[in-house]
Amino acid sequence: MMLVFQERRKSRKAWAPALLAAVIAFSAISFPARSVEAADAAGPKDAKEVEAFVDEFFKRPEVASSLAGSAVVVVGNDKVLLNKGYGYADVESKKPVDPDKTMFRIASISKVFTATAVMQLVEEGKIDLDQDVSPYLKGVTIPNKTGSKLTMRHLLTHTTGFDKTDVLTAPDATRKDYPLEQYIKENLPTIVRKPGAAYRYDNLAFNYQGLIVQNVTGKPFEQVIDDQIFRPLQMTNSDFRMTDKVLENLATGYNQLKEPWPQYQLMPTIAPDGGMFATGTDMSKFMLAQLNGGKLGENRILQENTVKEMQRVQVGIHSEIPNMALGFEMFFQEHFNGETVIGKGGDLEGYHSWMWLLPEQKVGGFVVTNSDASDIREQLFAAFMDHYYPKTEKERPAITLTKAQLAHFEGSYQYLRAPLIYYKVKAEDGYLSVAGPNSTRKLKPVGELLFQDEDGKLGAFKKDEAGNISYFYYLLIDAWCERITPSPNYSDVPRNHPYADDIYTLRDLGGVLNQTSTLFEPDGKTTRAQFAAQIVQLAGITKSHQPSNFADLKAHPYETEIQTLLEIHVLSGTSAQRFEPDRTITREEAAVIIYRLSRFLGFPPIPAKLSGKTSGWAEEAVQFIVGARLYGPEIKSTDEGTDFRSKDPLLKKEAAAILNRFAKLFASSAGI
């Protein structure tokens, strides 16, 4: 299952992105050998040859069978070499994709337009990239626990240090008008990590940029984009507003089952981080301007030096593994084939996009699809790079490090964007063993702080200011992993305890409610409130700011955690007025909560043969738990089926087993 966390936001997938992998599963895809021969000379030059190459790509059975529709653009040497639609903008009516008229949600590629508006204000001297952003926020105060200033450069490079970078909303949570400033004020993050210290994909940061653009110019964000980017580039079919024209020309988005998504509004209504609509034709104009020093024809949107600064690598965990320019990212690095590539990807329900630029070659590409079942971005990009810039294989010789030297890298590393995902790194003779929840890989040292696995994928570590190994970057493309400070053992959970791995892993991931206690009380019972709070804490879900409607939750210690899950329909009350937070939760109740969460994240049902007694309302959920083996050693299976002991109270050790194994299931879906 490939569920993209990446930048999917504004609704359930905004969290499941971080969650499901952003990461991704992109790295786990294999590609069939191309049948079109590599171009004779580096780079696309002839329009007919480019069209033949892309046409053949879309004829691949694995591409054609899943495709709804797509728009593809290739530009090179100040010319549009390809601007073509494939498949259908609407499958039912067989309406073809028209590159001039069919509009798509380009999702997080919107961020590059937001960054461009910011850089225009930098040129005018109205914004300083390295000044504290507080004066630009005009009364919006971001709590800061670090004592270090937050700058516009941090906002542009996903290095804010925010404790939350994504906002979770229910799939049916829409408003006709949700202003950007209100959205910002209702979703204030806290700066918990020194700005600039770590890379973590950050949707909130780009909404802050949009607010700053509004504040500095005194005009609505969308008007600034219209006046300063769309009109000069004659992008007449692009918008940040869902107008009647957009609705008339917008390609229908489809889910994994190829069913149409209902049209949805984003939150905020004008979303600088992902709310833009555009055609392939309009995207070609923006790409040409970026590749021509900020100019298209006689119209200029940026000065040449500004463009160079915008496209320059600003953040990377290692010199050989760059992460961010200003608004641009460096995803899919294994396909760069030695070229300098900057890009931007985007994901929303039903829409997946990727724009890549090779500034030194003055070449770029763009692809967008309108189906969750046909996310072919990386395949096309890989084929494009192999075809036009064939890679010259260079074997990296391993360097010799002793086991004692490698021991400096040992520890657990937690993915900053989704706490459910982590690595455990162990020193071996000549290499590091890197264990994710689903697999273990060998990484050999090939440079200072630089490692390579058996498949040639690079990973790197970073030291903090004190010289200690603090971050690890490997496979997960949109954030670094932070080294976890190990905690002392619980006095009542020896390391040979049958639930020790579940309990201690859960604590390492932040899923234990009282992290400082020396007792775990493994045989104690779990309440409904405690189980809900553990889920929110473990998953790193942004907490709701809304008060609960349940009378028995008022002023409860876990009111906000429970309300958070209520809003996304993972929890429900025991009646219209009551939740009963302090009642012991039964095993089948816990199963229903986990199952609802799994469905929210896109996991399919899993049938299983059950024995014992389970309530009818919980049977499908218990089957999922049993089928996915989300339980500890307390459960045994026989030929008659598995007795989940559904009616029993859930003990703390059993809750740890369910939650830890759910985290492993989640991480395995991300290919980790």
Side-chain angles (χ1 to χ4, degrees):
M1 173 171 49
M2 185 178 70
L3 297 171
V4 210
F5 166 53
Q6 202 179 323
E7 306 122 82
R8 205 177 275 192
R9 26 145 340 271
K10 301 302 178 240
S11 65
R12 50 181 159 185
K13 297 298 191 250
W15 174 59
L19 286 181
L20 273 145
V23 205
I24 356 191
F26 295 145
S27 59
I29 301 172
S30 60
F31 308 102
R34 62 186 184 278
S35 55
V36 176
E37 294 182 0
D40 293 334
K45 293 179 173 59
D46 178 74
K48 289 185 178 179
E49 188 279 330
V50 172
E51 183 175 24
F53 162 70
V54 178
D55 284 353
E56 183 163 335
F57 173 85
F58 278 93
K59 290 177 183 177
R60 292 181 180 181
E62 72 278 7
V63 173
S65 63
S66 63
L67 185 72
S70 179
V72 181
V73 173
V74 176
V75 298
N77 293 317
D78 298 328
K79 295 185 295 184
V80 177
L81 299 174
L82 178 71
N83 179 26
K84 188 171 181 178
Y86 294 85
Y88 300 112
D90 185 85
V91 173
E92 184 178 3
S93 65
K94 305 263 186 235
K95 181 180 180 181
V97 172
D98 183 332
D100 294 324
K101 296 180 180 179
T102 303
M103 302 178 78
F104 291 82
R105 295 180 186 267
I106 65 168
S108 282
I109 294 180
S110 310
K111 291 179 172 66
V112 181
F113 289 81
T114 300
T116 300
V118 169
M119 297 305 291
Q120 289 173 336
L121 294 172
V122 171
E123 283 185 348
E124 295 174 21
K126 296 178 179 178
I127 289 178
D128 185 326
L129 286 177
D130 299 305
Q131 175 183 313
D132 192 312
V133 297
S134 297
Y136 308 134
L137 292 174
K138 295 188 176 179
V140 175
T141 301
I142 306 173
N144 189 339
K145 295 183 177 181
T146 69
S148 297
K149 67 181 179 181
L150 174 69
T151 70
M152 183 60 75
R153 197 181 299 273
H154 298 138
L155 291 172
L156 285 162
T157 57
H158 300 312
T159 58
T160 60
F162 288 170
D163 62 342
K164 63 179 181 183
T165 57
D166 303 280
V167 176
L168 177 66
T169 57
D172 58 351
T174 58
R175 304 187 191 185
K176 290 184 178 179
D177 184 23
Y178 189 11
L180 176 60
E181 185 172 4
Q182 180 182 350
Y183 174 88
I184 290 291
K185 289 179 178 179
E186 291 181 355
N187 295 285
L188 280 177
T190 298
I191 301 173
V192 296
R193 199 171 284 105
K194 182 179 178 181
Y199 162 64
R200 170 182 172 175
Y201 194 92
D202 197 333
N203 283 305
L204 268 179
F206 278 79
N207 284 326
Y208 271 95
Q209 291 171 48
L211 179 64
I212 289 171
V213 168
Q214 285 190 170
N215 290 343
V216 171
T217 62
K219 300 177 182 178
F221 167 80
E222 65 274 21
Q223 182 182 336
V224 176
I225 298 294
D226 278 346
D227 293 345
Q228 301 300 120
I229 301 175
F230 291 164
R231 289 181 185 176
L233 298 182
Q234 298 182 19
M235 296 176 65
T236 56
N237 291 300
S238 297
D239 216 317
F240 270 84
R241 296 155 294 202
M242 188 182 283
T243 63
D244 290 341
K245 178 181 178 180
V246 169
L247 288 172
E248 181 182 351
N249 293 287
L250 183 61
T252 302
Y254 296 89
N255 65 19
Q256 288 276 359
L257 301 177
K258 301 182 181 181
E259 301 164 337
W261 281 103
Q263 289 298 351
Y264 53 87
Q265 184 63 270
L266 298 187
M267 299 174 66
T269 308
I270 303 299
D273 68 329
M276 184 174 154
F277 307 90
T279 62
T281 298
D282 278 8
M283 289 302 298
S284 71
K285 297 173 182 178
F286 180 78
M287 293 162 64
L288 286 171
Q290 276 284 338
L291 292 168
N292 192 36
K295 187 178 179 182
L296 181 67
E298 297 302 315
N299 294 325
R300 179 175 292 279
I301 59 170
L302 289 171
Q303 297 300 316
E304 188 168 357
N305 287 340
T306 305
V307 172
K308 289 180 179 178
E309 178 64 11
M310 191 174 180
Q311 296 177 356
R312 180 177 67 85
V313 175
Q314 306 275 334
V315 174
I317 197 164
H318 188 278
S319 60
E320 295 196 43
I321 308 180
N323 295 125
M324 287 294 300
L326 295 179
F328 288 101
E329 61 206 16
M330 281 79 170
F331 287 178
F332 313 133
Q333 290 185 22
E334 62 252 48
H335 308 307
F336 286 10
N337 293 0
E339 297 293 328
T340 299
V341 180
I342 58 174
K344 189 73 200 75
D347 296 273
L348 284 169
E349 279 86 350
Y351 304 88
H352 304 276
S353 56
W354 172 239
M355 176 180 68
W356 66 94
L357 303 177
L358 286 75
E360 295 173 0
Q361 305 288 349
K362 298 191 72 174
V363 165
F366 166 78
V367 60
V368 61
T369 60
N370 60 325
S371 172
D372 298 332
S374 57
D375 184 5
I376 46 85
R377 298 170 294 180
E378 189 183 5
Q379 294 100 308
L380 178 58
F381 175 60
F384 178 92
M385 294 302 294
D386 285 347
H387 182 68
Y388 292 110
Y389 304 96
K391 184 177 183 179
T392 302
E393 294 293 340
K394 291 183 179 180
E395 185 176 351
R396 290 176 178 267
I399 63 175
T400 302
L401 293 180
T402 66
K403 190 172 183 179
Q405 290 172 315
L406 290 169
H408 293 293
F409 302 99
E410 285 191 330
S412 295
Y413 295 81
Q414 189 173 31
Y415 175 46
L416 282 175
R417 201 168 179 207
L420 286 169
I421 299 177
Y422 62 95
Y423 293 111
K424 291 184 178 180
V425 177
K426 184 180 179 183
E428 303 290 354
D429 290 327
Y431 66 92
L432 292 176
S433 172
V434 178
N438 191 48
S439 63
T440 300
R441 296 174 173 88
K442 293 182 179 180
L443 272 69
K444 293 185 177 180
V446 294
E448 185 177 4
L449 303 177
L450 186 67
F451 291 77
Q452 189 171 38
D453 70 11
E454 305 100 314
D455 298 323
K457 298 183 186 299
L458 293 174
F461 294 85
K462 182 185 177 183
K463 294 180 179 180
D464 60 20
E465 293 175 346
N468 301 311
I469 300 295
S470 53
Y471 295 102
F472 179 40
Y473 184 72
Y474 175 58
L475 295 183
L476 300 164
I477 59 180
D478 62 350
W480 297 348
C481 296
E482 187 173 35
R483 195 175 195 173
I484 300 170
T485 302
S487 302
N489 288 352
Y490 290 113
S491 59
D492 56 354
V493 184
R495 285 290 176 173
N496 61 355
H497 189 284
Y499 292 83
D501 180 67
D502 293 309
I503 291 169
Y504 285 114
T505 299
L506 192 69
R507 183 172 65 169
D508 286 347
L509 296 179
V512 172
L513 298 179
N514 187 355
Q515 294 281 53
T516 61
S517 176
T518 59
L519 293 174
F520 183 77
E521 300 178 343
D523 295 315
K525 296 177 181 178
T526 304
T527 68
R528 285 165 54 82
Q530 288 169 341
F531 193 68
Q534 281 185 282
I535 289 174
V536 173
Q537 195 160 300
L538 174 66
I541 306 174
T542 301
K543 296 178 184 178
S544 170
H545 294 276
Q546 301 301 316
S548 175
N549 292 326
F550 291 104
D552 57 356
L553 283 181
K554 301 299 182 183
H556 191 280
Y558 298 127
E559 178 183 0
T560 57
E561 287 85 350
I562 294 168
Q563 179 64 20
T564 299
L565 296 184
L566 285 167
E567 289 177 5
I568 60 171
H569 312 304
V570 168
L571 290 183
S572 57
T574 57
S575 69
Q577 292 81 32
R578 294 180 59 78
F579 181 80
E580 299 184 48
D582 299 318
R583 175 173 61 76
T584 297
I585 193 170
T586 64
R587 293 172 58 85
E588 64 182 2
E589 283 180 310
V592 168
I593 293 170
I594 292 295
Y595 181 56
R596 288 176 179 172
L597 180 61
S598 73
R599 298 294 290 151
F600 180 84
L601 296 174
F603 287 93
I606 301 177
K609 185 178 181 182
L610 304 180
S611 62
K613 294 183 178 180
T614 297
S615 300
W617 50 265
E619 188 166 342
E620 189 172 305
V622 172
Q623 285 190 42
F624 176 83
I625 297 293
V626 169
R629 301 183 68 83
L630 306 183
Y631 52 77
E634 78 277 4
I635 298 302
K636 308 295 180 186
S637 297
T638 67
D639 292 340
E640 296 179 357
T642 301
D643 182 2
F644 186 65
R645 296 175 23 222
S646 297
K647 305 288 186 178
D648 289 358
L650 182 68
L651 304 184
K652 290 184 178 180
K653 63 186 181 184
E654 297 166 355
I658 290 174
L659 292 170
N660 179 43
R661 293 166 201 226
F662 179 73
K664 289 183 178 181
L665 176 68
F666 177 81
S668 68
S669 73
I672 304 305

